[in-house]
């Protein structure tokens, strides 16, 4: 152990690395282990068990809290609250939900953000690669020393490794999932437990079959650390976890060694400064007499992700130039994070108590604050966005010699502008403190604050429109199944419960109109609700806008697309190639200033791909080609992340509707298409088109769709 406590210390008792994951009733449902100062890694199905959800439910849990207990941590005997920051859902080999009866699957990882102590969680284990033949140990989620099971690694075979247990001692069973696989030879964690193979049961009664020596015994499987890195590495989750020691020739290391020598010239001063830094970072300090060497001090600043920020906080008041010096040197390394442990804890507290409708708009605030950010991180939680934002540099508006305002501070000003008065004041005080510690002038931060206020004023003039989302799936010739959600601005809430009943077109129109009649739009918003029809690729040309509620007792017919702006959305195509999601978001950001591409002749999908793939200023495509090649062009555009596509589903002549809509501003298209449909209903000769508008709003979420209801896997 060095002067500063580091990951891997205390490996003589590796069970201390086991974290208990608990349900509401206090029962341990699985295990995990500390990944970073405020993160725990476990299995997604362990989180599902803690929240009382189906075990292999793929949908993100949302903001629900679970309790984790860190072994050996005496500061919180009852554990800490945690919520999901990154979710790698359990998935079948084909990429869909895991089917009942499957005993092997992919994914199944969850990174939890823990509301731990200000200095961070106790140091976690060192990771290492898993190899065949390693002897490893696993523990029950309770972490009890007697629960260890000795296992031998077979494989690893790509995304998994098989683990055979010793004939004596404990066998892996329920409660072991998510726990670390500890290799004593490597003195490191080489993976985590996922599942075990149970003895066979009778298909008729479900009871265990009589024992046979041919039965599979004591075999489990887990995820090798290499696979964990492959799944979590692109998300940036591992950047600050157990960072390796810096290279002696690393420029950041050399500059920090010099800075430490100059800032703490005496041994007693270095002891005092190091002890203060260790306390801030939640690690055990070394000797009260012998200081860390300058090299050891600098190495700690480049291995603990929040140590450099903590040191700059300690120096800012009495030695501002020294604070600037260490921040400049640390900026040459990728390890240091923007926020100190105390600042990060305070921000998590603000997010934890933030209004749900504000949290739901977090991605919207990010896009407004950082309009040139082409890609958002792979995750749909506020914490995933924060992880990404901490690593981004400051914006480009800074005078000579001024420090730039970091992206995270700019975003939090926009989030704060959405909050009510008291919460806004708290976030501004937090931002003022971080800016002061970084040496950012009040005028620079004030300018970004004014930008955020102006953005909110512009939002009031363009409030989120009430919308009804209708998933339509074919149930047979002329019949369909519906699932319906309403979204008044805080996200979709399901209002239909029957996903089995089938409807004719007229019955479906009547059901949608019933939901629309039940809505109470805001008094200040006179716009009709937007109807967003969610379809698969085969349903893009369904004439849902023409569905009419035929009811002899009603005075008016009730044509969906005539009374309401109706658009289609195909999440299947949009997410078919996930690499184009950043381009979709970037194009949506430019909706009011982007270009329109008119496709007026049949075009090979490969040619269209080559033309659109790098044209991020193209935000909509108007397709005016015959029906044969039309569908392929439309689907290619949607798969490439074009947020707005217009075409005519008709089969006769040139597309009058497409040429008509080409003159309309992009944001006005839903209402203009509705107007066109109303004119076509009244005067078909003058308005002969049957327009379809595909509309994929990156600022509004859609529910995760399943063709069948997910079921718990055995």
């Amino acid at each position: 152990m060095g002067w500063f406590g580091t990951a891997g210390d205390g490996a003589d008792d590796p069970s201390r690395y086991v974290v208990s994951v608990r349900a509401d009733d206090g029962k341990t449902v699985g295990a995990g282990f500390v990944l970073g100062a405020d993160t725990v890694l476990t299995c997604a199905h362990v989180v599902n068990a803690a929240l009382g959800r189906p075990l292999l439910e793929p949908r993100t849990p949302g903001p629900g809290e679970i309790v984790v207990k860190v072994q050996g941590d005496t500061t919180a005997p009852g554990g800490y609250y945690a919520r999901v920051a990154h979710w790698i859902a359990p998935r079948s080999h084909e990429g869909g939900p895991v089917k009942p009866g499957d005993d092997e699957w992919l994914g199944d990882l969850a990174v939890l953000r823990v509301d731990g102590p200000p200095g961070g969680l106790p140091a976690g284990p060192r990771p290492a690669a898993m190899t065949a033949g390693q002897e490893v140990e696993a523990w029950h989620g309770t972490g009890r020393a007697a629960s260890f099971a000795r296992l031998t690694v077979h494989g690893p075979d790509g995304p998994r490794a098989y683990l055979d247990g010793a004939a004596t001692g404990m066998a892996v069973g329920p409660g072991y999932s998510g726990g670390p696989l500890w290799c004593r030879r490597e003195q490191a964690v080489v993976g985590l437990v996922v599942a075990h193979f149970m003895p066979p049961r009778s298909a008729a009664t479900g009871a265990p079959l009589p024992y046979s020596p041919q039965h599979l015994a004591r075999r489990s499987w887990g995820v090798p650390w290499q696979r964990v890195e492959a799944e979590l590495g692109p998300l940036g989750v591992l950047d600050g976890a157990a960072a390796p020691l810096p290279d002696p020739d690393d420029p950041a290391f050399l500059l920090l060694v010099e800075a430490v020598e100059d800032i703490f010239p005496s041994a007693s001063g270095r002891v005092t400064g190091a002890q203060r830094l260790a306390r801030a970072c939640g690690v055990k300090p070394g000797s009260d007499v012998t200081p860390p060497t300058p090299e050891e001090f600098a190495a700690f600043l480049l291995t603990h992700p929040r140590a450099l920020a903590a040191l700059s906080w300690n120096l800012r008041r009495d030695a501002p130039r020294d604070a600037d010096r260490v921040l400049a040197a640390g900026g040459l390394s990728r390890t240091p994070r923007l926020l100190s442990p105390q600042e990060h804890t305070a921000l998590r507290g603000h997010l934890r108590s933030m209004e749900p409708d504000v949290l739901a708009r977090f991605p919207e605030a990010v896009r407004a604050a950082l309009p040139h950010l082409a890609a958002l991180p792979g995750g749909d939680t506020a914490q995933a966005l924060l992880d990404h934002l901490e690593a981004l540099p400051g914006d480009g508006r800074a005078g000579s010699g001024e420090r730039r305002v970091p992206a995270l501070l700019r975003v939090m000003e926009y989030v704060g502008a959405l909050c009510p008065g008291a919460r806004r004041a708290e976030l501004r005080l937090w931002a003022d403190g971080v800016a002061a510690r970084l040496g950012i002038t009040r005028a620079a931060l004030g300018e970004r604050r004014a930008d955020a206020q102006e953005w909110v004023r512009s939002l009031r003039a363009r409030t989120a429109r009430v919308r009804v989302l209708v998933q339509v799936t074919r149930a047979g010739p002329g019949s369909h199944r519906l699932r319906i959600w309403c979204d008044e601005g805080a996200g979709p809430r399901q209002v239909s419960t029957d996903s089995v009943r089938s409807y004719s077109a007229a019955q479906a129109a009547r059901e949608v109109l019933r939901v629309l009649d039940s809505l109470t739009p805001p008094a200040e918003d006179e716009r009709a609700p937007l109807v967003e029809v969610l379809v698969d690729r085969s349903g893009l040309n369904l004439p849902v806008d023409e569905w009419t509620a035929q009811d002899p007792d009603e005075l008016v017919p009730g044509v969906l697309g005539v009374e309401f702006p109706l658009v289609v959305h195909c999440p299947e195509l949009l997410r078919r190639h996930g690499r184009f999601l950043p381009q979709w978001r970037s194009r949506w950001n430019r909706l009011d200033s982007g270009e329109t591409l008119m496709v007026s002749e049949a075009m090979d999908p490969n040619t269209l791909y080559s033309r659109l793939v790098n044209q991020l200023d193209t935000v909509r495509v108007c397709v005016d080609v015959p029906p044969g090649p039309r569908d392929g062009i439309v689907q290619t555009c949607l798969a490439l992340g074009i947020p707005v596509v217009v075409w005519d589903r008709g089969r006769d002549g040139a597309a009058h509707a497409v040429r008509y809509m080409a003159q309309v501003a992009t944001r006005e298209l839903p209402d203009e298409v509705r107007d066109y449909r109303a004119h076509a209903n009244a005067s078909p000769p003058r308005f002969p088109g049957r327009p379809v508008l595909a509309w994929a709003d990156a600022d509004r979420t859609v529910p995760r769709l399943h063709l069948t209801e997910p079921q718990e896997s055995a």
Side-chain angles (χ1 to χ4, degrees), residues 23-35:
D24 287 342
D25 59 4
K27 180 182 177 182
T28 297
V29 296
F33 59 94
V34 175
L35 193 63

Side-chain angles (χ1 to χ4, degrees), residues 277-293:
L277 178 61
R279 285 194 299 270
C281 295
V283 301
K284 185 177 180 180
S287 170
D288 291 338
V289 178
T290 305
T293 65

Side-chain angles (χ1 to χ4, degrees), residues 349-367:
H350 292 313
L351 292 175
R352 192 165 59 250
S353 58
M354 193 170 287
E355 294 74 10
D357 59 329
V358 175
L359 279 179
R361 299 179 69 181
F362 207 101
E364 180 185 359
V366 172
R367 283 188 283 270

Side-chain angles (χ1 to χ4, degrees), residues 62 69 110 193 380 424 426 450 452 457 592:
K69 175 68 172 68
V193 180
D380 54 3
R424 185 187 316 124
E426 291 173 356
R457 280 193 289 269
D592 295 311

Side-chain angles (χ1 to χ4, degrees), residues 309-329:
L311 178 61
S312 70
W313 187 86
N314 293 342
L315 296 172
R316 175 58 63 187
R317 187 183 67 178
D318 298 325
R321 291 187 177 179
D322 291 339
D324 290 337
R325 182 178 179 183
V326 299
L327 286 172

